[in-house]
Amino acid sequence: MSTTPLTQLDRVVIRFAGDSGDGMQLTGDRFTSDTAALGNDLSTLPNFPAEIRAPQGTLPGVSSFQVHFADHDVATPGDAPDVLVAMNPAALKANLADLPRGGTLIVNADEFSRRNLAKVGYAANPLEDGSLTGAGYHLHALPLTSMTVEALAPFTTLTRKEKERAKNMLALGLLSWLYSRDTAGTEAFLQAKFGGAPEILEANLTALRAGHAYGETTEDFAVRYQVAPAAMPPGTYRTITGNQALALGLVAASERAGLPLVLGSYPITPASDILHQLSTLKRHGVTTLQAEDEIAAVGMALGASFGGALGVTTTSGPGLALKSETIGLAVATELPLVVVDIQRGGPSTGLPTKTEQADLLQAMYGRNGESPVAVVAAQSPTDCFDAAIEAVRIATTYRTPVILLSDGYLGNGSEPWNVPSSADLPDLTVTFATEPNDLDDEGRPVFHPYRRDEATLARPWAIPGTPGLEHRIGGIEKADVTGHISYDPDNHDRMVRLRQAKIDRIADTLPPLQVDDPTGEARVLVLGWGSTYGPIAAATRLVRATGAHVARAHLRHLNPLPADLGDLLRRYDRVVLPEMNLGQLALLLRGRYLVDVHSHTAVRGLPFTAAELAQVLHEHLLALAAQEVPV
């Protein structure tokens, strides 16, 4: 039992940072899982380079993982870390500016050699020149590498390099002790991961326990900390990333629809994890096809939809551009198709491992001709599950492609998820056409593939090979009702308008927008979409804590927009719209509603911070107040 005094905290933000080969993502993930097991609410932000292996010890090779955990509801991964674990000089230099004065620094002193310092431009060793303690940081310079090697001395068949690889486990053990985390979950994880390599398993377990024991026995830390569980609704919880939640949402939706799920995909960061996840779920009627390119992948998905399956394709922005013609084909043939876009920084290959919201206009208009599709956006890692179900509902009900927008922040980030009961999920049962639906000119039964449902304007979905339901397919314009090829100008105008009207009908099924305006006295509305949900929620709390009034609302449906959005925008004196692009949704809203939406934009590859948005909202509140001052 440790005799170190225990201090209770309500929240902590920890950032693990090191070289790409130091295992920071694994370390952060394991700390997160152990934290979730204790019942804390949490949010994470993995941040890693696009290069498979950048030069060791360099700034471009720094990988980090930030986790924010608390005894209350958590909206973001935290604006800045309270604790920075830096495994080398590059990690320290890349992340030190984010650590507030008074923060805790745990540094692997073994890596601060003259050569490693020179790689990142340190003229002197910051662990020895007093610059860190002089700046107010609580510095713990520990020889983590040599401590690990010493702890693993009995493992004589392992090389020194192999022993050094376990230093992340030693660091994890130390942090687990410092913040009162149980390591049983990580030990079980290691058993499963390295069960076939007993010596590697025991080495990692020994390093983990050595780190924990060091915390117990050293006098380097004056106190240790504890964060109580958060109050959450009862249920079964698991930690889940946005990409995992999205994959499970697609499977759940396919089962509720009674359709086999066929994924046609080409690996692309940051969407590849969905392909990986779905490939493990074959027992649930999932077929995954890794295509040779993006165009083939969406063709496979659309072909599956034509065959009576739920066709899905996953990609990021560059791949969405390549899929555009086939998505247009799905618009013309009016078949259900779910296109998942995990947005990343662009243009071109851009910033593969960084986040952005800059694909909105591409999703809306990135096809030739008038090719309207439904567009929905997830707002948090766990919401990716519900957003996937909604995308499938729209696609199958209205026989239309749906583009589901997530991004790297949501896809890689994680939070606790209250696992729903399948009985609570919506019924998405699909009815296929099984018999003729019309009469020809001579009164004989005939199947007309574009005879539409009066409520939804959706055409019937007929499985190929159904007797009597033969019909033409392809990208050339169809004649209304019959589906014959048509070059008639009036028919083309009618079909274009019908396809648009079908998308517009989706708005009839959307619930009223939820507005968070507790007092009803707010004059400023902050509106968001996608992954800005968490930062906006946190910023709103900060502003309200000062006694100011501000309302917020968030959009899931971007095409069509909710029917009551125009009225909502006009209720407030000022509408502020933060976006991780140069104002794409703001452009659409100004044109649609003639409302002077005030954009706040950033394209840094990182999510907004709560403090940044709170400052922006305060400035708008001051600007409104200044307008009322008599001249």
Side-chain angles (χ1 to χ4, degrees):
M1 179 68 67
S2 174
T3 59
T4 306
L6 192 64
T7 298
Q8 199 76 24
L9 299 175
D10 62 350
R11 55 172 293 278
V12 178
V13 180
I14 299 176
R15 182 182 299 176
F16 298 91
D19 196 72
S20 293
D22 286 338
M24 293 297 94
Q25 301 304 316
L26 175 62
T27 305
D29 182 68
R30 292 315 315 159
F31 189 90
T32 297
S33 295
D34 293 338
T35 294
L38 287 177
N40 298 128
D41 196 16
L42 60 88
S43 179
T44 70
L45 178 62
N47 191 1
F48 44 89
E51 290 77 13
I52 294 175
R53 193 69 172 88
Q56 189 170 5
T58 62
L59 292 172
V62 173
S63 174
S64 68
F65 188 106
Q66 183 163 302
V67 54
H68 178 191
F69 58 101
D71 63 4
H72 55 271
D73 177 48
V74 165
T76 74
D79 286 1
D82 302 302
V83 181
L84 172 61
V85 180
M87 302 298 283
N88 62 15
L92 178 65
K93 190 160 192 176
N95 292 278
L96 185 61
D98 294 335
L99 184 68
R101 300 299 172 92
T104 298
L105 262 175
I106 299 175
V107 182
N108 182 11
D110 284 333
E111 293 299 314
F112 280 69
S113 64
R114 182 176 300 177
R115 183 169 180 268
N116 286 346
L117 291 167
K119 283 183 183 180
V120 295
Y122 275 124
N125 189 340
L127 307 186
E128 299 173 352
D129 65 6
S131 60
L132 296 174
T133 53
Y137 298 117
H138 297 289
L139 175 63
H140 301 273
L142 308 176
L144 298 179
T145 303
S146 54
M147 287 167 60
T148 304
V149 172
E150 183 178 351
L152 301 185
F155 296 84
T156 56
T157 62
L158 295 181
T159 66
R160 179 181 176 88
K161 190 171 184 179
E162 288 172 329
K163 294 174 181 178
E164 288 178 357
R165 287 177 185 155
K167 62 181 179 291
N168 64 325
M169 286 296 106
L170 188 136
L172 176 59
L174 174 59
L175 268 293
S176 298
W177 170 84
L178 188 59
Y179 288 94
S180 307
R181 311 287 96 177
D182 192 338
T183 61
T186 293
E187 293 190 16
F189 167 83
L190 293 172
Q191 292 276 359
K193 185 175 179 64
F194 298 116
E199 192 160 36
I200 298 296
L201 168 63
E202 286 304 317
N204 278 278
L205 289 173
T206 299
L208 178 71
R209 293 163 183 163
H212 197 279
Y214 179 80
E216 288 270 6
T217 57
T218 186
E219 297 181 358
D220 197 44
F221 296 90
V223 295
R224 59 196 295 250
Y225 305 96
Q226 188 174 56
V227 179
M232 292 185 178
T236 300
Y237 285 84
R238 59 162 289 186
T239 302
I240 198 166
T241 68
N243 280 345
Q244 291 171 337
L246 202 154
L248 294 179
L250 290 171
V251 175
S254 73
E255 294 206 352
R256 297 298 288 172
L259 300 174
L261 192 159
V262 176
L263 174 73
S265 185
Y266 179 75
I268 183 171
T269 303
S272 299
D273 283 342
I274 303 173
L275 170 60
H276 302 158
Q277 180 81 9
L278 288 176
S279 68
T280 67
L281 300 174
K282 296 177 183 178
R283 64 188 182 280
H284 293 288
V286 177
T287 300
T288 53
L289 303 167
Q290 180 173 318
E292 67 269 27
D293 56 39
E294 296 281 5
I295 298 172
V298 69
M300 291 172 174
L302 182 56
S305 289
F306 176 62
L310 173 60
V312 180
T313 188
T314 53
T315 190
S316 190
L320 184 62
L322 294 169
K323 297 178 188 291
S324 62
E325 183 179 4
T326 304
I327 297 172
L329 175 62
V331 172
T333 55
E334 301 191 41
L335 288 167
L337 176 69
V338 177
V339 181
V340 177
D341 176 16
I342 312 298
Q343 300 167 95
R344 74 189 203 190
S348 188
T349 49
L351 306 171
T353 60
K354 309 304 178 183
T355 195
E356 208 163 277
Q357 286 183 299
D359 291 350
L360 176 58
L361 293 181
Q362 181 181 198
M364 293 286 290
Y365 302 117
R367 294 160 297 283
N368 64 297
E370 294 287 348
S371 303
V373 301
V375 181
V376 299
Q379 66 186 29
S380 69
T382 55
D383 184 60
C384 288
F385 179 87
D386 298 312
I389 291 176
E390 175 66 354
V392 172
R393 179 192 76 84
I394 293 172
T396 55
T397 302
Y398 293 88
R399 315 287 196 259
T400 180
V402 179
I403 296 179
L404 170 54
L405 296 175
S406 177
D407 58 43
Y409 168 37
L410 296 185
N412 293 322
S414 60
E415 60 185 3
W417 179 45
N418 190 347
V419 181
S421 167
S422 59
D424 295 333
L425 301 179
D427 183 1
L428 304 178
T429 302
V430 170
T431 301
F432 291 103
T434 57
E435 58 187 22
N437 59 0
D438 215 338
L439 299 175
D440 64 13
D441 294 339
E442 299 179 5
R444 294 172 299 191
V446 65
F447 177 65
H448 281 154
Y450 288 88
R451 175 68 71 189
R452 300 175 183 277
D453 181 274
E454 293 183 1
T456 64
L457 295 181
R459 79 174 186 90
W461 192 0
I463 296 178
T466 304
L469 303 191
E470 297 84 359
H471 59 282
R472 288 185 174 90
I473 205 73
I476 296 177
E477 183 63 282
K478 308 296 184 294
D480 187 23
V481 182
T482 68
H484 299 324
I485 293 173
S486 174
Y487 295 96
D488 178 75
D490 291 336
N491 178 78
H492 179 55
D493 184 86
R494 175 171 173 76
M495 293 299 282
V496 166
R497 294 180 188 278
L498 278 170
R499 289 188 288 260
Q500 181 61 57
K502 181 175 65 171
I503 297 300
D504 294 340
R505 291 280 178 98
I506 297 169
D508 296 340
T509 64
L510 304 184
L513 271 173
Q514 294 185 345
V515 184
D516 178 20
D517 187 359
T519 65
E521 300 178 33
R523 297 174 57 201
V524 172
L525 170 71
V526 55
L527 183 70
W529 70 274
S531 65
T532 58
Y533 177 84
I536 288 174
T540 302
R541 292 176 190 169
L542 293 176
V543 172
R544 289 174 180 168
T546 67
H549 302 290
V550 62
R552 68 181 176 99
H554 213 76
L555 297 176
R556 161 164 288 166
H557 299 89
L558 301 170
N559 195 37
L561 291 163
D564 55 348
L565 178 58
D567 291 338
L568 173 65
L569 298 179
R570 296 184 188 99
R571 274 170 33 197
Y572 292 89
D573 294 329
R574 185 166 293 209
V575 177
V576 182
L577 176 53
E579 296 184 80
M580 291 187 293
N581 56 49
L582 295 184
Q584 295 186 14
L585 181 60
L587 175 70
L588 297 177
L589 297 184
R590 289 182 188 124
R592 174 78 177 270
Y593 301 109
L594 302 181
V595 171
D596 186 17
V597 175
H598 295 261
S599 277
H600 175 71
T601 65
V603 280
R604 301 177 56 245
L606 294 169
F608 290 111
T609 66
E612 170 192 359
L613 293 185
Q615 179 61 32
V616 169
L617 295 178
H618 278 302
E619 290 171 359
H620 282 286
L621 289 167
L622 290 172
L624 270 182
Q627 291 176 6
E628 298 176 351
V629 177
V631 178

